[in-house]
Amino acid sequence: MKKSLLVLLTFIPIIVGYIINFTLTVPRVGVLIYYILPLLTTVFWFWLGSRFAHTTWKALPAILIGNATGIISILVYLWQYFLETDETMNMTLAFASQMFSASAPGFLLVKIAILFETKPNITAGAATVVALNVISVVYMIMVFCIGFFWEKHNQQSAN
């Protein structure tokens, strides 16, 4: 598979994140999409990691290039929420920067994110939301790496 196509495929989680966010308000269908698309995206991300294993890139560059959309998304997210005030925050950037994270199965990862909440009896506070975004990107990087190294192992076993 061409490297340019592989790089283009790294934008799929962002597209999935938009689909999930825009369909959440659709009765029944939105909830179904919310649960199914992140699981399918996980499978896709594993597969994409395995495809990156077939490139001539070494492991670290391949993993960084494969996850660049997620890494850039989380950096923009942290910039907008921690380094900008409410008056200077760019709402478009703040919203768009969460789309990569939205493609991860947040309904599973939120159990970990809640552990970062500092206020008792609040399950969806600011700390939880920030933690969920970071955990989601880390999750996607881990899935990608598992796919990458699984395929590298299979290539070595075949030789």
Side-chain angles (χ1 to χ4, degrees):
M1 192 174 285
K2 287 187 172 185
K3 290 179 180 179
S4 58
L5 178 59
L6 289 174
V7 171
L8 277 175
L9 289 174
T10 65
F11 287 90
I12 295 291
I14 294 172
I15 296 167
V16 169
Y18 274 106
I19 292 169
I20 290 168
N21 271 299
F22 288 120
T23 58
L24 272 175
T25 58
V26 178
R28 295 187 189 117
V29 175
V31 173
L32 186 64
I33 288 171
Y34 174 77
Y35 286 107
I36 296 198
L37 272 185
L39 297 175
L40 293 175
T41 304
T42 298
V43 172
F44 169 77
W45 210 239
F46 176 89
W47 174 83
L48 190 61
S50 72
R51 297 303 91 201
F52 267 77
H54 290 279
T55 65
T56 56
W57 290 320
K58 294 187 187 273
L60 185 60
I63 291 166
L64 289 174
I65 292 166
N67 289 286
T69 53
I71 294 166
I72 291 168
S73 291
I74 199 64
L75 290 175
V76 170
Y77 174 82
L78 295 172
W79 164 45
Q80 287 298 302
Y81 283 93
F82 289 113
L83 301 178
E84 297 292 336
T85 64
D86 288 342
E87 294 81 27
T88 62
M89 182 185 294
N90 182 325
M91 295 307 285
T92 303
L93 277 179
F95 176 75
S97 66
Q98 296 178 63
M99 294 305 104
F100 187 90
S101 299
S103 68
F107 55 90
L108 298 174
L109 302 173
V110 74
K111 303 290 186 201
I112 300 167
I114 289 172
L115 299 174
F116 292 89
E117 189 58 54
T118 56
K119 298 175 184 168
N121 301 324
I122 294 180
T123 57
T128 302
V129 175
V130 170
L132 182 58
N133 277 283
V134 172
I135 291 167
S136 295
V137 172
V138 170
Y139 167 83
M140 294 294 277
I141 292 170
M142 288 172 45
V143 168
F144 187 93
C145 287
I146 291 168
F148 182 88
F149 290 114
W150 178 276
E151 190 61 28
K152 281 289 187 190
H153 174 69
N154 289 341
Q155 287 174 354
Q156 289 173 351
S157 297
N159 292 334

